[in-house]
Amino acid sequence: MAARQDSDPRPVSRLAGGIEAGGTKFICLVAKGPEHIVAQTRIPTTTPAETLERTIAFFRPFVEAGQLADLGIACFGPLDLNPASPTYGHIITTPKPHWDHTDVLGTLQRALGVRTVITMDVSGAALGEWTWGAGQGCNPLLYLTVGTGIGGGVILNGKPFVGLVPLEMGHIRLPRDPSRDPFPGHCPFHRDCFEGLASGPALQARFGQNGESLPEDHPFWQVEADYIAHALVNYILTLAPEKIVLGGGVMRRAHLFPLIRHKVKTLLNGYLHHPAFLTDVDRYIVPPTLGDLSGSLGAIALAQSAATTA
Ligand code: ZN
């Protein structure tokens, strides 16, 4: 990590609790950062009552020992992230059974009695990579996950960007050539949006197997890379991120990266005269470096940041 400067908005190192609350599991950490993890656990996501109770039980001893005063949550959603709303920190609606309207923030805050902050899961992963990972200090940083779903988090001036509603970068429309890809799409709202075409479930629906087992020389990978590249070009032209980190289960297939980078350069066609899109694209579009802890570490960073600005 580069030396800190006084103007550096990154949070100071301070012990905090962090949760990546996902649809299949909750990853819980007590840590100062990736080099200083005191405790961690993984709790399967079942009912809200059971899952949150086990989460509270994990953190409670640290709170009672006076070691933990701040908790960050990077949660699946969509979430209500308007602090003025009576349902701030609630999950709004979700296809995940039982979790509609769950008060994630309030339940944890009341039970543990610590300062508690919440953001979207992908924003948490973005913040983790911005603080300690592949996108340190980039402004803005775009983190895109391509996995069970597709979503993007943007870190602007050191904070997760929140608009009128949470960003839904997985649901943009992309050009689809039915002669090359006859699959009609998997999104229940838009069919052939980005997520409907390129997420893990879309691959599963096309081939009866997920992206992990599809052979590397399968011709579909070029189609997949082209979809992701088209989306990235749209984000580059509208957000001009300083770096793009691509995470999620599908992106664990590392052979996608060179295909995506090449297609991004081809689509931009020299239009943008920055080295990021010409000679330095290998350093511009990169994998995460925090493994599956991007989100939970991002939650730690969120908690630390809230503590220092309170
Ligand atoms: Zn969609």
Side-chain angles (χ1 to χ4, degrees):
M1 189 189 294
R4 291 180 66 93
Q5 297 175 353
D6 287 347
S7 59
D8 190 335
R10 282 178 287 182
V12 294
S13 181
R14 166 188 179 117
L15 198 63
I19 305 168
E20 182 185 0
T24 56
K25 63 180 178 297
F26 277 35
I27 300 179
C28 303
L29 296 183
V30 176
K32 286 185 178 178
E35 309 297 330
H36 188 125
I37 295 174
V38 174
Q40 61 176 302
T41 193
R42 284 152 203 257
I43 295 165
T45 308
T46 55
T47 62
E50 181 180 47
T51 312
L52 293 173
E53 196 173 301
R54 291 185 64 188
T55 303
I56 291 160
F58 170 75
F59 287 109
R60 183 168 278 139
F62 299 95
V63 176
E64 288 177 349
Q67 295 173 295
L68 202 62
D70 299 283
L71 179 69
I73 311 164
C75 187
F76 73 93
L79 294 172
D80 183 345
L81 290 177
N82 174 10
S85 162
T87 54
Y88 175 59
H90 293 218
I91 292 173
I92 302 167
T93 55
T94 170
K96 180 88 185 153
H98 315 299
W99 285 83
D100 272 6
H101 310 298
T102 299
D103 180 6
V104 177
L105 175 75
T107 303
L108 293 169
Q109 192 166 38
R110 283 189 296 273
L112 291 167
V114 296
R115 179 169 31 221
T116 307
V117 281
I118 193 165
T119 193
M120 287 292 297
D121 46 6
V122 72
S123 297
L127 189 61
E129 292 294 328
W130 181 85
T131 309
W132 292 295
Q136 285 180 42
C138 292
N139 192 28
L141 174 70
L142 169 62
Y143 177 97
L144 189 78
T145 180
V146 184
T148 309
I150 297 181
V154 174
I155 303 301
L156 182 64
N157 299 324
K159 293 195 169 90
F161 172 80
V162 180
L164 179 65
V165 294
L167 299 181
E168 292 286 359
M169 301 177 82
H171 293 271
I172 63 169
R173 311 311 285 254
L174 302 172
R176 179 172 72 89
D177 175 358
S179 67
R180 189 176 180 224
D181 180 18
F183 181 66
H186 195 63
C187 175
F189 293 92
H190 322 110
R191 296 205 71 137
D192 63 348
C193 66
F194 184 18
E195 181 173 294
L197 291 169
S199 62
L203 270 67
Q204 180 77 36
R206 262 193 199 85
F207 302 114
Q209 56 182 312
N210 64 26
E212 282 167 37
S213 53
L214 201 64
E216 198 169 312
D217 60 357
H218 193 288
F220 178 74
W221 286 120
Q222 185 62 58
V223 179
E224 174 78 4
D226 289 358
Y227 285 139
I228 296 169
H230 269 285
L232 295 190
V233 165
N234 285 331
Y235 306 143
I236 288 166
L237 294 170
T238 49
L239 284 170
E242 195 176 337
K243 190 170 278 198
I244 297 173
V245 179
L246 296 179
V250 173
M251 294 314 305
R252 283 202 280 271
R253 300 300 301 267
H255 69 284
L256 277 170
F257 279 87
L259 300 177
I260 292 166
R261 292 172 183 133
H262 183 262
K263 186 68 177 183
V264 165
K265 281 173 74 172
T266 305
L267 289 170
L268 286 171
N269 199 24
Y271 182 65
L272 300 175
H273 294 276
H274 190 283
F277 315 111
L278 301 165
T279 53
D280 291 351
V281 71
D282 288 358
R283 281 177 283 167
Y284 182 69
I285 299 169
V286 296
T289 58
L290 299 177
D292 69 351
L293 296 183
S294 303
S296 51
L297 284 167
I300 296 278
L302 187 72
Q304 291 170 333
S305 182
T308 54
T309 55

